[in-house]
Amino acid sequence: MASLWNYLSLPTAFFTSPVAAILTPVTAGALVGYTTTSVSDTQSIYKALRQPPLYPPGWVFGPVWTMLYSAMGYASYRATIAGLSSPSPTIRELAYTSQTLYTIQLATNLIWMPLFFGMRKPLTALADILVVGGSVLALANNYRKIDDVSFWLLVPYLGWLGFATYLNFGVGYLNDWDITDEKIGRSKRK
C-alpha cells in the first residue's frame, strides 16, 4: 500500500527503465546547468567570488555532476528492480519510499544552482544542499537494505555533496553571504 509520500515520486516506469533512470537526471542537470549559466554567467561569478581552500576550477563541475547523475540514476533503477521483485512486503514498500526520497533529492539538487548562481542566495542554497544531503543519506540507508550496489553507487555522491556543502558554506562565509554583483566587485552586463 502506497503512502501519501509515494505520490510525490516520479512514476515507477521512470525507475524500471535503465535508460530513463540514467538519462533523466543527466538531462535535467544539464538543462538546469545550461539555462542557469546562460542567464547568470556562472563562470565569471565563480571567478569573482572569494573561495575557501581546495576549491576546484569551474570546469570540473560539469563532468563530475554528469558522472554522479548517471550513478544515482542507475542506482535508482537497480534498487527499484531489486526492491519491487522482493518477496518481502517490507522491502517492496522500502523501494516505493526510496522512489519518493530519490525524487525529493533530485528536485532539491536541481534547484541549488538557480538558488546560488541565479538568485545569488548562498544561505538559501546552503539550506537546500543540507536537505539534499539529508535526503541522500536516507536514500542510501534504504538502498543498503535493498541492494548493496545501489548503496555503493551513492557513496561518491554523498562525498561530493559534503565537499559541495563545504564550498557553499565557505563561499557564503567569505563573501558575507552576499554574492550580488555590487558586493563581489563585478560590473553588471548591459
Side-chain angles (χ1 to χ4, degrees):
M1 181 173 155
S3 71
L4 175 63
W5 285 105
N6 297 122
Y7 293 105
L8 298 175
S9 174
L10 290 165
T12 298
F14 159 84
F15 297 98
T16 58
S17 164
V19 173
I22 293 168
L23 288 181
T24 298
V26 170
T27 303
L31 183 61
V32 168
Y34 175 76
T35 56
T36 303
T37 56
S38 64
V39 170
S40 67
D41 193 18
T42 59
Q43 287 296 328
S44 63
I45 295 168
Y46 185 73
K47 290 176 185 173
L49 294 169
R50 283 179 277 185
Q51 299 277 356
L54 305 175
Y55 72 95
W59 63 264
V60 168
F61 294 97
V64 167
W65 277 111
T66 300
M67 288 184 293
L68 294 172
Y69 284 137
S70 297
M72 80 169 71
Y74 185 63
S76 73
Y77 162 75
R78 282 189 58 97
T80 298
I81 295 301
L84 296 184
S85 64
S86 172
S88 166
T90 303
I91 296 297
R92 286 193 305 274
E93 184 60 31
L94 204 56
Y96 285 117
T97 302
S98 296
Q99 291 176 1
T100 302
L101 284 169
Y102 179 91
T103 303
I104 291 168
Q105 71 79 28
L106 181 60
T108 53
N109 176 306
L110 293 172
I111 65 171
W112 182 90
M113 194 168 185
L115 288 172
F116 191 90
F117 286 107
M119 297 173 61
R120 312 277 186 89
K121 302 286 187 188
L123 189 57
T124 306
L126 179 62
D128 175 74
I129 203 168
L130 291 171
V131 170
V132 176
S135 301
V136 175
L137 276 172
L139 183 61
N141 185 50
N142 282 5
Y143 283 1
R144 183 183 55 76
K145 297 171 186 171
I146 298 170
D147 177 64
D148 286 341
V149 173
S150 297
F151 166 78
W152 286 108
L153 284 167
L154 287 187
V155 170
Y157 182 29
L158 283 166
W160 186 258
L161 282 172
F163 182 60
T165 302
Y166 156 76
L167 291 174
N168 187 151
F169 177 83
V171 166
Y173 178 78
L174 292 172
N175 293 278
D176 299 321
W177 301 100
D178 185 355
I179 59 171
T180 59
D181 284 336
E182 295 79 18
K183 183 67 176 179
I184 61 174
R186 291 178 60 239
S187 61
K188 287 191 176 183
R189 294 187 308 172
K190 298 190 191 251

